[in-house]
Amino acid sequence: MCGIFGVTGDSRTTELLIKGLKRMEYRGYDSSGICLVNGKRLIRKRAVGPLSNLEPLVEDLPNSECGIAHTRWATHGAPTKENAHPHFSKDSKIAVVHNGIIENEVELRKKIKLLDDGIAFESETDSELIAHLLLIEFENSEIDIKNAKEEEILSCWKLVLDKLEGSFALAVVINGRNDFILFARKFAPLIISHDGERGILASDVSCVVGLTEEVFYLNEGDWGILTNSEVQIFNVDGEFVEAEAKKLEWKLGEAELGGYPTFMLKEIYEQPRVVRDCLRGRLSRDKIKGFSIPFNPRLLRIVGCGTAYNAGLLARYYIEQLSKIPVILDHAHEFRYGAPSGPKSLVIGISQSGETADTLAAIEAAQERGYPTLGIVNVESSTIARNVDSLLGIRAGPEIGVASTKAFTGQVLGGLLVAMKLGQLSKTFHREDLSYFDRHARMLPTSMERMLNDQNIKTKLWEAQQYFIDKNHAFFLGRNTSYPIALEGALKLKEISYIHAEGYAGGELKHGPLALVEEGTPIIVIASEGSSHKKLLGNAREVAARGAKVIFITHQEDDLADSHADLVIKVPRTHDLLQPLLYNIICQLLSLNIAEERGCNVDRPRNLAKSVTVE
Ligand code: F6R
C-alpha cells in the first residue's frame, strides 16, 4: 500500500526522505516521489518503478529542512509519473501526499471546478484535489501563506479535512514555509515523532526505527501541524490533544536481513523464537494467563483476511473442539457489511499489521453493535491493537516479507491460547489436558529448529520442487485441522510463485475439483489426525489414480502415508494441536524454493502490498 514519510527541522531532509522510502519498500509500490520546500519553490521529483529510478533524480538537489515523500500503490489511475505523489495545487504552491481513498472525489472535483475554473487537474488521482482545496481555502481567507500564522493555516486545513469523506493519511507542505508539515489521519495509519529539533511523520512504524525512540500514535480523525520545534495534535472536534509519546516496540536489527538472502527465509527461520515468545508468561501446566477474554461468550465470531483468515479457521477448529462454543468465521470484508444476528458474541479480529482496513472496519462494526472485541495482533501499537477491548499480542516481531509466514504461527498460537482459556472456563479442557499440551509446547521450538536444519527434509523439499517444473496448477488437500494449512499452503504458493494453487478440504474433491486433476498435477496432501487421516489417504489414492503426483506431508510416526504418495515429507511428531504448525513450515519452504527457482522476488510479489490499508 502507499507509504508516507515526512521530515522537518533537519538539513539532511533528502537523505532522510530516501531512507524512509527505502524502509517502506517492503510494503509494495509502483512509483515514488519527494517534494522539498526550498527558498522560493517546491522541488518535486517523481519516478515510476523501483526507488532506484528516483534516487538519481534527487542526488544534486539543494539543501532543504522540510520535505515529504511517498511510495504509491495505484488505486486511482495507472502507475504513471503524473499520478505519482506528491501532487501540486495550482501554481505549485502546495504539495500533498496521501494514503487512502477520497470517496466523494467526483463531487469535490466538480466543486473545485466551480470555485476556480482555472484549475487544471494534472493527475487521475483523488489525492490531487486536496492540494487544490487547501489553496482555495487560503485564497478565500485572504491570508498570505508565506507570512500566515499557524492558527490561520490550521483553520484552513481543518476546513479542508471537514470536506473529505473516505480514508486518508495526509502530509502537506507549502511553498515558502520550510518550518512545518500539516498532517491528518482517518482510517489510515500515521505516526509522528519529535525530539525537540526534528519532526518526522510516517505511515509505518518500521520506517522510524533507528531514527527515533518514541512516537505519538494518532487516533482516528486526529490532525495538526508538525513544526521544527513541536507537534500540535487536534481531534476531530478541533480540540487540542495532549498526546503521550510511546516507546517504539521494535529495535533496528529486527527489521533487517541479518545475513539471510530474503526476509521470507529469515522470517520462516524465526518461527521457533516466535513460539517461545508468544507462549512466554501465558502458558503453564495448569493455567492460561497473561491476557483477558472480555466476555464469557456463547458464540464467537472471528474475522480476518488472507493468512489471518486461515489462522482464524484453525482457531475455529480449536475453539469448537476445546470449549464446545460454536464459532462463525468471516472474511473481515464480508462481516463489516453483514448484519450478524443471534446472541451477543465475542468478536475476535486477527491481523498481523493491525492496520488492515477491512479488519479494522469489522472490529468497529462489531463495537457499534455492542459486541466485545479481542484482537490477536502482531503490531501492538497498531490501530486494531489499540481499539479492541482486549489484546493478545503474538510477539512475532516485524514481518517485512509481503507473504505472511511467522505471523501465521503466532496467530494460530494466539487462537489456541484463547481456545484453551475458553475450554477451561467451560470446563471442557481439563488440567491434565493442559499439562500434557504444555509439555509438548515447550519442546515445539526445538522440534522446529531440528526440522528447519534437517538435511533429509531439505533433500525431500528439493525433490518435491521438481514436480512443479513447468506446472501452472497445483492443489493442496487437508481435512479438519490440516484444511486451514491446505488453504494457507495454496495461498503462499500462488502469491509468491504465481502458480495457480487451490486449497481444498479432502471431502470436497469429488464435488468438482477432481475434474482438474490430470497427468502430473502436483497435489500436496497434508496429514490430519484421527479418522480423517484415513480419509485423506483415500483422497491421495483418488488423485494418484488420475495421474497426479502426490506429495504427502505428515509426521514421523505415520507409516501409512508411504504407500499412498510419490513423495513423503515427514516432520517431528508433536501434540495433535501443534502438528499443523510444522506442516505449514514445510509448505512455506516448498513455496519459497519453487518461487526462487522460477526467479520470483519472494519478498515483494507482484501486485501485492504488505499492509492493505485501503478497502
Ligand atoms: C498473505 C498475506 C495476506 C495478509 C492479509 C491480512 O501472505 O500476507 O493475506 O495475511 O492481507 O493482513 P493482516 O494480517 O496484516 O491483517
Side-chain angles (χ1 to χ4, degrees), residues 442-507:
R442 278 176 203 285
M443 290 187 299
L444 183 65
T446 316
S447 300
M448 278 185 177
E449 275 151 4
R450 229 174 51 228
M451 190 182 97
L452 284 164
N453 296 310
D454 186 322
Q455 213 39 57
N456 182 41
I457 291 185
K458 284 186 185 163
T459 309
K460 294 270 182 189
L461 280 167
W462 184 84
E463 288 171 19
Q465 194 183 324
Q466 309 314 305
Y467 294 147
F468 291 80
I469 292 175
D470 298 330
K471 292 287 179 298
N472 290 316
H473 303 281
F475 290 95
F476 288 70
L477 300 180
R479 278 178 184 254
N480 201 271
T481 54
S482 73
Y483 170 45
I485 305 302
L487 292 182
E488 177 58 12
L491 177 62
K492 224 61 349 169
L493 183 65
K494 75 180 113 183
E495 70 182 325
I496 61 168
S497 76
Y498 317 139
I499 292 176
H500 169 232
E502 297 296 339
Y504 277 103

Side-chain angles (χ1 to χ4, degrees), residues 305-308 351-353 356 402-404 411 491-492 495:
C305 299
T307 290
S351 175
Q352 185 285 125
S353 60
T356 297
V402 163
S404 195
Q411 289 162 348
L491 177 62
K492 224 61 349 169
E495 70 182 325

